[in-house]
Every structure is written in C-alpha cells, then in structure tokens.
Amino acid sequence: MRAHRLTALSLLIGLTLPLPVLADPELAARLDGQPLPLSWNALASDRYDIELSLAPGQLQLRMPQASGEAVALAPFRRQPLGTDSIYRYEVPEAGRYRLIVETGAAPALRLLPIKAAEPEAATAVCKPWEGGAVEVTVGDVFRDGQTLRDALSGATAVVRNGQVTFQPATGSDGLLLLEAAEPAKPAPRDWRNAIVYFVLTDRFANGDPDNDRSYGREPDGVEEIGTFHGGDLKGLTKRLDHIASLGVDALWISAPYEQIHGWVGGGDRGDFRHYGYHGYYALDFTQLDANMGSENDLRALISEAHARGIRVLFDVVLNHPGYSTLQDMQQLGFGALRDGMAEYLPEHWSAWQPEVHENLHAYHNLVDYEHPSWAAWWGRDWVRAGIADYDTPPSSTVDPLKGSLAFLPDFRTESEAVVALPEFLARKAQTRAEPREDYRVRDYLIEWLTGWVREFGVDGFRADTVKHVEPSTWAELRVAAERARADWARANPDDPMADEPFWMVGEVFGHGPEASDYLDQGFDALINFAFQDQALAASDCLAAAEPSYADYARRLAETPGHNLLSYASSHDTALFNQLAKGDLARQRGLATALLLAPGAVQVYYGDESARAFGPTGSDPFQGTRSPMNWDEHERPEIAGLIDYWQRVGQFRARHPAIGAGTHRLLSSGQPYAFARTLGDDRIVVVQAGASLTP
C-alpha cells in the first residue's frame, strides 16, 4: 500500500512551523579513505538526514572523539550513537543510501539502502523476426541425439553436432522455449520459481450477489471508483481453474478480514466515496468481511486451491487500522458530532451528501474530533491518531516507524505497554478478539493475523508497509505464524499442503532485487520494485532484459535463502497495459519477459487478458483496480493472448531452473538465447525477433 492514499484525518493536521537553524551532526564520513562531504537536511530539532550515492567500497562514519575498533553497520537497523562511535559498512555495489541521525536523548543512526544502481543497459537486438527457421547452438546444455521440444509450438527436433533447428510458432515473435522432449521426473518445487497471482478479491469475480451490500454499503451509481463491486471468495473459487491454467502456484488475495463499514472522501478532491474494498482499512482482524463471504467460503477456497497445487497468501497489515467513518461512528458507538450537526445528517449517517459547494471531505466538519468519546475507538494506548487525547504521529518521512501513512491511525507496535482490548471491539457483537493478560499491541495483532493460519491453513503472508514497522515485530509475526502453521498441519495431515512451510514476502516500497537484513527478520522474499521500470523495453525485445536476468540470477546464487518477487503491474504503481497503451503485442511480450525472470514473479489479475485501466478520479492509482475483464476473454485476440500466457506460465511451472537456476548467456545477437540449469533441470530460451519495430 502506498502513502498517497486518501486521508480521513488530513483536515486535523495543523500547519508545520519553520524549523530553527540547528547545528549539523558532528559526524565525519569516508569512502575507502576519501572524505565524503555531508550536507544535512534538518527534519526536526534532533533529527537529520542525508542521501548518499555510494560506489562499492568501505564506508566509515566517525564521531569527534572516536576511538577503538569500528563496529559493522547493519542496514535498516537503528544503531546507538556516542561521541566515540566508529562504524564501517562494506558497500556491496553502487547505489543510493539514506543516512538518518538522531541527536536527542537517545542518539542513534540508521543507514537505509534506497536503490541499487541500475544494471547497465544491454545493446539489445530488436529487429523484428522475419518468420524463418532458427538454428541454435545448445551443445553445452543438451547432448547430441537428445530430442528437444518447443513448448510454444509443440514441435520437436534432435540435437546434431551441438545444434538444433526450429521453426518458431506463428505469433510467437520468434520465441522458442526449449526443453527435453522425454518426460522427466518432476523437479522439487522451489519458491524462487513461484508464479504468484495477485487478486483484489472485490474486483475479480462475484460468486454471491447476496453479500454485495453488506453493512449497508451502497454503490455510488456513477463510476464506482471506490465502492465495493461484489467480488468475493466464492467468485475466486469458481475461477481457480483459470488461475491454475497460467502455471500459478501461489494466490495472493487482498486482506479478507472485516474492513471499515463506511466510506471516506476519495482522492485529493474528495470526488468519490472510498470504501475499504482493497483490504487496507481494517476494522476487525478476527472476522471475515461480510462482502467477502463466509468462513465456509474461505475453507472451500483454500481446499480447492490446495487441490490444484496453489498456495493461498493473505495480504496483512501491521502498521495501521482503517479510518473512522460516519457509518462506523453510528453503528459502533464511538466518537461524536459537533454540537448542532446532527440535524445535517440523515437517519443513516452514511447517506450524507455534501452541499453543492463542498466535496466529500466536508463530512469532517460535522465531527467533533476533540470529544472524549473517541476513547471508545482504538484508544490512545493502541494508536497515534492526532485526535482527542491521542498522540499526533509525525509524518512517515520524518519517522518511518512511528509516523502516519496517509494520516491513517498508526499502531503502537513498538510499545511494551500492556493494553486492554479497544472498547469498540470489547463490545462488538461478532468478533474473536478476546482480552488477554499481559498483551501488548503487537501481541494482539500477531494473534489475530496468525489465527487465520491456524484455523484455515493460510499458506503465507504478503506483508504490507514493511519498512513502517520495526523489524523485530515482523520477526515475532513469523515465529508465531510458523507455530500456527504446524498446528494446522497436525490437524489436517491429509491436506496436499500439510508439509509445505509457511512463506512470507514483504513490501518494502522502492526495494530492488538486492538482499537485505529483512531476510533475517522473517521474510523469505521482498517485492522487487525495479522490474516494472524495465518491463516495457523487455516486452519489445527480450534481449533488453539480459542485464537484469544475469543480475537477479547472480544475487540468488550468491545469497542462500534470498528471493525476490518481480512484477510489471500493481495496484500501487501502474498497470502494464496502461504503460503499453493497450498494445497486445507488448502484453504478449510481457508474458515472456516476466515469466522468464529469475526469482519469483507476480502476475496482477488481468495481466494475462490486457485488463484496461479504469475510472480513477483524483487518485491516479484507483484506475489500476478496475474489474477483471471476463467479458472480453472470448474475443479471439484476448483468447489468443491468454493462451500465450498459459503456455509460457506452464513452461515455467515445469522447470524450477527458470526461477532458481544458473543463468548463462548463449547468444547476445540475433537470435538472443540463454540457458538456465538447476541440477538435471535445464532449458534454453531463444528469441529471434522483437514484439515491436524499434
């Protein structure tokens, strides 16, 4: 989730006063012995930062009275800072870093890798394929006399003198996906080769129209930008065969637990009603949202997915709950209206309409955010929210751990204080939230989230806003999830996934393919935000992906346990189809570029069918969450595109070497060719042309 999302409490934040002129931190820096000038930005009276572009080498940071041995600096970790401190950091490769220094009562520093330097661009051969046969040298990969098959055309050929000749399939852009023709023993599954299919459940498939208007939610009758559309768990289950046909072995679904019931004003202009259809505005972490369906629906989804070899991942949020809304205030009995404002509200507060000169943000004018009855909401011991007696969180750019994202209430996950259940949850009719002795905020959240693993067999988590929660809390969540997974497996020994380990992937916004300390805090993989920037060029000409392919494979080989999750479309950035301007040849090229990438890959629902960017209002990201275009799947050109994705996806699924193997460039010219090998599993990919004329 990104912090650009609409804010419900933004009107409560006052003006920022100018910072006083302050003395810079007395910290000296050298890279391989050469001084680095430091020009600090003052973020607060005792907080500074600077962005550094560093080449490979040893970075040393020294305080004025430095003495003794330098201590190794661990990225992302807060390090105590004294006047005699010395730190060293081995910069592994060129990239950008953010150095944060706190000079208050507990001086500290943190080094945050921002982004590794981009791999040097390849001199890609992007001439269109002219339709002829292609001869490829494969002698170092396959033996003479071995019969190979092209997974796209189904044609076979025998290796002679280390070479093989194939006629690529029509409409393949000269692509060959070569594998041994004789049936091979299935290779062990490897998460580095995973295809993760990401679904915003509400926008995917409606399996039960009876739950479309749960809690009194209503469509807006206009563009339906931020309303619930009706997608649910039953709809997902009915479409599992389509998902499985793409070679998918993991299904990431938007958080299905109960969201805020009402709406807040959408976008900067408050021009649409924005509900929590995406799963990031949690109200009760222990209950399914009624729009998603019943617990039996969830059990059926997981059971049917497991029967198809598909693991189910929940999107989870530890950083924040959802906003307050008029509807939740009325239904759950927290907060208060300003004196005399009740007369401006209809019987059902959620039906309120702004005046012609107002927008939907204006409902804040009706609410008394200083009233003591806000204690019945989450409570000041649970969140920082800037209302009533709640502490006001700083901006997340000033303090990533205690700051507020889009003015959402910020959970005090770092707090060691014992807390009671929030009052609204303690009296809520339907909830599994129970008071616990000696529980901190994070203990409740971890229990609630891992309850889905223990009870239903959820296979893993995609963790939202990772860099905005302290790493130790993520590590605690992982340990608890492992225990919950073991409990579920003991209770369900006959389930096909009973022996599968729990898997956790994190969203560290802006993180690239590099390994980092997050791998020591419970994460098996991190989302790779770098691939989307390269996807368009690689879809035109696969050779343009070669620097990234070689880079990703090298990183995976050099760091055991490291994995990444590359994507080309996202609910928080852009749709590839939007970037490709609807070009179906490029959408076909995306299947090639993404599904052949080393490391795990994420397909966003509709990548395979060129789902179009939808209505977006004043929030540019809403259009990335348009409804799945099922009605277009029978169109010949879309059906052909889906078939192409299926063939490439199933090829990847058969060969763990694609995601987890050693990458070797066979030919950088035309045709472009590479091999991937992992033990006895081996493949060769050839592209004789390009999707587009450059």
Side-chain angles (χ1 to χ4, degrees):
M1 190 195 81
R2 288 192 77 173
H4 312 48
R5 289 208 187 104
L6 129 84
T7 72
L9 302 179
S10 59
L11 300 182
L12 309 178
I13 305 301
L15 295 175
T16 302
L17 297 177
L19 291 171
V21 178
L22 304 169
D24 289 346
E26 297 181 286
L27 190 68
R30 289 178 176 271
L31 183 65
D32 284 344
Q34 298 299 312
L36 285 179
L38 300 179
S39 179
W40 295 96
N41 302 309
L43 303 175
S45 61
D46 60 354
R47 188 179 177 85
Y48 305 79
D49 82 341
I50 186 172
E51 188 172 309
L52 301 172
S53 293
L54 301 176
Q58 187 182 89
L59 174 68
Q60 189 178 84
L61 302 169
R62 302 174 66 95
M63 289 295 281
Q65 301 173 27
S67 61
E69 293 292 323
V71 176
L73 186 62
F76 299 103
R77 293 183 183 173
R78 190 175 185 273
Q79 307 284 352
L81 183 65
T83 57
D84 60 351
S85 298
I86 309 176
Y87 291 103
R88 59 178 169 78
Y89 176 63
E90 299 295 336
V91 182
E93 57 195 337
R96 292 187 293 118
Y97 294 78
R98 183 182 180 213
L99 182 62
I100 302 173
V101 173
E102 301 168 31
T103 60
L109 61 78
R110 278 183 294 155
L111 185 67
L112 306 178
I114 299 173
K115 190 175 184 182
E118 297 290 346
E120 291 186 10
T123 305
V125 177
C126 289
K127 296 178 182 177
W129 174 51
E130 295 180 353
V134 179
E135 185 177 79
V136 187
T137 299
V138 296
D140 291 342
V141 185
F142 298 106
R143 67 181 185 275
D144 266 15
Q146 190 169 6
T147 302
L148 305 186
R149 176 177 54 233
D150 171 27
L152 286 180
S153 68
T156 60
V158 177
V159 181
R160 304 293 186 196
N161 299 319
Q163 293 184 318
V164 68
T165 301
F166 275 94
Q167 174 68 40
T170 302
S172 68
D173 303 314
L175 184 70
L176 299 171
L177 304 178
L178 303 183
E179 59 189 350
E182 64 269 18
K185 183 173 68 174
R189 185 177 176 280
D190 194 313
W191 270 105
R192 293 171 296 176
N193 195 54
I195 301 177
V196 179
Y197 193 82
F198 170 36
V199 167
L200 282 179
T201 307
D202 173 68
R203 304 300 171 90
F204 192 63
N206 192 344
D208 183 3
D210 290 342
N211 61 31
D212 290 359
R213 299 190 179 186
S214 303
Y215 314 111
R217 294 167 179 157
E218 294 289 341
D220 62 26
V222 190
E223 293 184 300
E224 309 297 347
I225 295 171
T227 60
F228 277 83
H229 287 196
D232 49 32
L233 299 174
K234 277 187 177 179
L236 256 178
T237 304
K238 291 176 180 178
R239 296 293 185 171
L240 282 174
D241 285 341
H242 168 77
I243 294 170
S245 75
L246 300 168
V248 168
D249 54 3
L251 173 62
W252 156 21
I253 66 173
S254 51
Y257 38 76
E258 188 175 351
Q259 302 294 298
I260 58 174
H261 296 175
W263 53 265
V264 286
D268 294 337
R269 298 196 300 269
D271 49 341
F272 60 91
R273 284 176 165 76
H274 192 346
Y275 289 89
Y277 68 86
H278 44 47
Y280 295 115
Y281 295 168
L283 179 75
D284 187 342
F285 290 84
T286 73
Q287 295 292 301
L288 280 179
D289 193 279
N291 264 74
M292 296 296 102
S294 69
E295 291 185 354
N296 285 337
D297 295 339
L298 178 60
R299 293 185 196 281
L301 170 66
I302 293 176
S303 176
E304 291 293 327
H306 285 183
R308 291 165 174 80
I310 298 174
R311 289 78 179 153
V312 177
L313 313 178
F314 267 23
D315 210 330
V316 298
V317 185
L318 274 174
N319 176 255
H320 57 266
Y323 301 114
S324 63
T325 72
L326 289 172
Q327 183 167 331
D328 294 291
M329 289 171 61
Q330 184 179 30
Q331 290 181 346
L332 298 174
F334 57 74
L337 302 175
R338 292 169 56 193
D339 289 344
M341 291 296 108
E343 64 183 272
Y344 293 98
L345 285 167
E347 178 183 359
H348 298 291
W349 293 1
S350 191
W352 172 84
Q353 295 282 353
E355 299 293 336
V356 291
H357 61 279
E358 296 176 323
N359 63 36
L360 290 165
H361 291 314
Y363 83 84
H364 293 290
N365 297 328
L366 308 174
V367 180
D368 181 359
Y369 286 108
E370 298 306 317
H371 198 279
S373 61
W374 282 100
W377 190 37
W378 285 97
R380 70 186 310 271
D381 293 336
W382 273 78
V383 300
R384 289 171 279 261
I387 62 174
D389 66 343
Y390 291 64
D391 289 341
T392 299
S395 164
S396 62
T397 57
V398 173
D399 191 330
L401 297 181
K402 298 180 182 178
S404 172
L405 285 172
F407 303 97
L408 284 155
D410 182 67
F411 277 132
R412 294 179 177 272
T413 50
E414 83 293 342
S415 175
E416 297 298 324
V418 173
V419 296
L421 272 183
E423 185 177 327
F424 85 91
L425 274 179
R427 66 185 187 214
K428 188 170 178 281
Q430 291 184 317
T431 185
R432 284 194 174 95
E434 297 181 3
R436 304 293 191 197
E437 292 186 5
D438 302 324
Y439 262 32
R440 302 157 298 183
V441 170
R442 64 180 177 272
D443 297 322
Y444 278 107
L445 293 172
I446 289 171
E447 177 182 292
W448 296 341
L449 291 173
T450 58
W452 299 104
V453 180
R454 178 174 285 104
E455 180 67 22
F456 296 94
V458 171
D459 300 282
F461 289 156
R462 178 271 187 185
D464 186 61
T465 57
V466 166
K467 66 182 177 183
H468 299 293
V469 176
E470 56 285 346
S472 59
T473 295
W474 292 119
E476 288 185 44
L477 176 68
R478 176 56 182 261
V479 170
E482 293 278 11
R483 288 197 299 264
R485 178 71 178 182
D487 290 345
W488 173 81
R490 281 192 293 271
N492 298 273
D494 297 329
D495 189 283
M497 300 298 166
D499 294 331
E500 283 286 319
F502 192 79
W503 195 69
M504 197 158 88
V505 57
E507 179 226 29
V508 181
F509 202 84
H511 203 288
E514 65 274 10
S516 72
D517 285 356
Y518 286 111
L519 299 174
D520 300 326
Q521 307 300 328
F523 291 100
D524 299 289
L526 297 175
I527 292 175
N528 173 24
F529 285 83
F531 185 84
Q532 187 177 46
D533 294 337
Q534 304 150 13
L536 202 59
S539 74
D540 290 347
C541 179
L542 190 59
E546 174 58 30
S548 294
Y549 282 1
D551 181 53
Y552 297 175
R554 174 186 62 80
R555 293 176 187 277
L556 293 171
E558 290 178 352
T559 309
H562 175 41
N563 198 359
L564 51 125
L565 183 65
S566 299
Y567 73 93
S569 295
S570 165
H571 62 314
D572 273 341
T573 53
L575 285 185
F576 180 84
N577 192 32
Q578 174 188 4
L579 303 176
K581 303 184 187 308
D583 189 316
L584 294 187
R586 279 179 155 172
Q587 206 79 22
R588 187 173 64 246
L590 172 63
T592 306
L594 178 64
L595 295 175
L596 297 178
V601 297
Q602 172 224 298
V603 177
Y604 190 32
Y605 74 102
D607 275 346
E608 75 277 21
S609 56
R611 175 171 61 89
F613 188 77
T616 204
S618 61
D619 180 342
F621 302 102
Q622 295 297 323
T624 65
R625 299 102 180 253
S626 55
M628 182 62 169
N629 57 336
W630 295 112
D631 291 345
E632 296 184 328
H633 282 210
E634 299 305 316
R635 286 173 46 198
E637 61 271 31
I638 299 300
L641 175 63
I642 294 171
D643 178 73
Y644 187 86
W645 276 80
Q646 290 168 338
R647 290 174 185 269
V648 182
Q650 291 168 18
F651 177 70
R652 179 186 176 102
R654 289 195 297 273
H655 297 289
I658 294 174
T662 299
H663 174 87
R664 185 154 56 92
L665 179 65
L666 299 180
S667 170
S668 60
Q670 190 157 333
Y672 163 66
F674 65 81
R676 300 265 173 82
T677 57
L678 182 67
D680 293 333
D681 186 30
R682 50 196 60 216
I683 58 96
V684 168
V685 171
V686 184
Q687 190 177 45
S691 300
L692 297 176
T693 303

